[in-house]
Amino acid sequence: MSAIAEYFPIWKQLTPEQQRKIEDSAMYRKVPKGTVIHNGSLDCVGLLLIHSGQLRAYMLSDEGREITLYRLFEMDICLFSASCIMRSIQFDITIETEKDTEFWVIPPDVYKSVMEESAPVANYTNEIMAARFSEVMWLIEQIMWKSFDKRLASFLLEETALEGSEILKVTHETIGKHMGSAREVVTRMLRYFQNEGWVRLTRGTVEITDRKRLEQLANE
């Protein structure tokens, strides 16, 4: 069994011919942190199958403001980097590496041909699409109905879970990009959190000092 078979969730549901088609066409890439892999709806890199690392999918406003839509991790599949196979859906989504990342790129025409002849692949693709839209809808609900202090508390807690540390090496500007907010707004709220004793701020880092209170705020 090839390495790609271990990371493609429905590999065993493909025919041997379909497996060979994907294996023969897939390209393995190693990309350093901070690399833009896909940029907008006109960019059709191909379908990404993540081996290791972490990707961020975000949207960019005309004014240059960013907001993170979702993250991708090991064994995740990125469909929007193969936007040309979804002609009825046009999103200007940018995808970049948040950590050094390794992944396979399956050419869009190859994946499309397999999807058209394989019900399991078509169903799995629809499940991924549904999951991504659910994440985006959840994000919209957060922005519309949840105050910024609660959203920031949730973000900090999520980041500590991802990094496995109470000390986050992240700038206020980066937090703002994730949350679709100006750096100044983030700074003011973090200083408020610090005054309350919930975090400790140093240059380029945010340390969680009262996780319980942040959790209470996030869940209010």
Side-chain angles (χ1 to χ4, degrees):
M1 185 167 64
S2 68
I4 194 172
E6 300 175 22
Y7 288 82
F8 200 97
I10 55 169
W11 185 261
K12 293 182 179 178
Q13 297 181 52
L14 300 178
T15 66
E17 181 182 352
Q18 291 165 349
Q19 291 175 350
R20 283 195 298 273
K21 187 182 293 187
I22 290 176
E23 284 180 319
D24 292 345
S25 64
M27 297 171 288
Y28 193 75
R29 293 184 60 189
K30 297 181 179 180
V31 179
K33 174 182 177 181
T35 302
V36 173
I37 297 171
H38 170 81
N39 191 13
S41 60
L42 298 179
D43 188 6
C44 196
V45 175
L47 183 132
L48 308 182
L49 175 59
I50 314 304
H51 177 271
S52 62
Q54 183 174 312
L55 303 179
R56 176 173 81 108
Y58 64 92
M59 296 187 75
L60 185 66
S61 73
D62 292 338
E63 295 77 27
R65 183 171 295 178
E66 299 176 10
I67 185 167
T68 298
L69 300 177
Y70 54 83
R71 263 80 168 262
L72 296 161
F73 306 94
E74 180 181 320
M75 292 188 73
D76 275 340
I77 287 179
C78 182
L79 287 174
F80 286 106
S81 54
S83 55
C84 52
I85 70 173
M86 302 176 289
R87 298 195 181 279
S88 60
I89 301 175
Q90 295 295 325
F91 288 107
D92 283 329
I93 292 178
T94 301
I95 300 164
E96 71 174 359
T97 55
E98 286 195 301
K99 298 180 179 179
D100 292 348
T101 304
E102 300 182 22
F103 55 87
W104 289 274
V105 182
I106 302 173
D109 57 330
V110 172
Y111 189 81
K112 184 178 181 182
S113 67
V114 172
M115 183 173 64
E116 288 174 345
E117 63 187 35
S118 170
V121 172
N123 291 337
Y124 182 62
T125 302
N126 289 333
E127 288 175 8
I128 295 173
M129 290 291 294
R132 295 290 173 248
F133 277 120
S134 293
E135 289 177 288
V136 173
M137 288 304 297
W138 179 87
L139 176 63
I140 292 173
E141 289 177 355
Q142 297 296 300
I143 293 172
M144 291 182 65
W145 310 121
K146 202 169 185 178
S147 61
F148 186 75
D149 59 342
K150 295 179 177 62
R151 289 178 56 218
L152 180 57
S154 296
F155 174 82
L156 295 175
L157 293 170
E158 289 166 6
E159 290 299 296
T160 60
L162 279 177
E163 299 300 325
S165 172
E166 297 291 274
I167 301 177
L168 301 175
K169 295 180 180 179
V170 61
T171 64
H172 299 185
E173 182 177 4
T174 298
I175 294 173
K177 287 180 178 180
H178 279 295
M179 302 186 67
S181 183
R183 177 184 59 79
E184 293 80 8
V185 176
V186 174
T187 297
R188 283 197 298 270
M189 191 58 68
L190 284 174
R191 285 175 178 168
Y192 168 72
F193 284 4
Q194 180 171 251
N195 290 338
E196 294 295 312
W198 305 340
V199 303
R200 181 181 296 112
L201 305 177
T202 55
R203 187 173 180 84
T205 67
V206 179
E207 180 182 357
I208 307 301
T209 54
D210 192 338
R211 168 173 286 272
K212 184 177 180 181
R213 186 63 189 95
L214 284 179
E215 290 173 343
Q216 290 174 344
L217 175 61
N219 295 323
E220 283 177 0

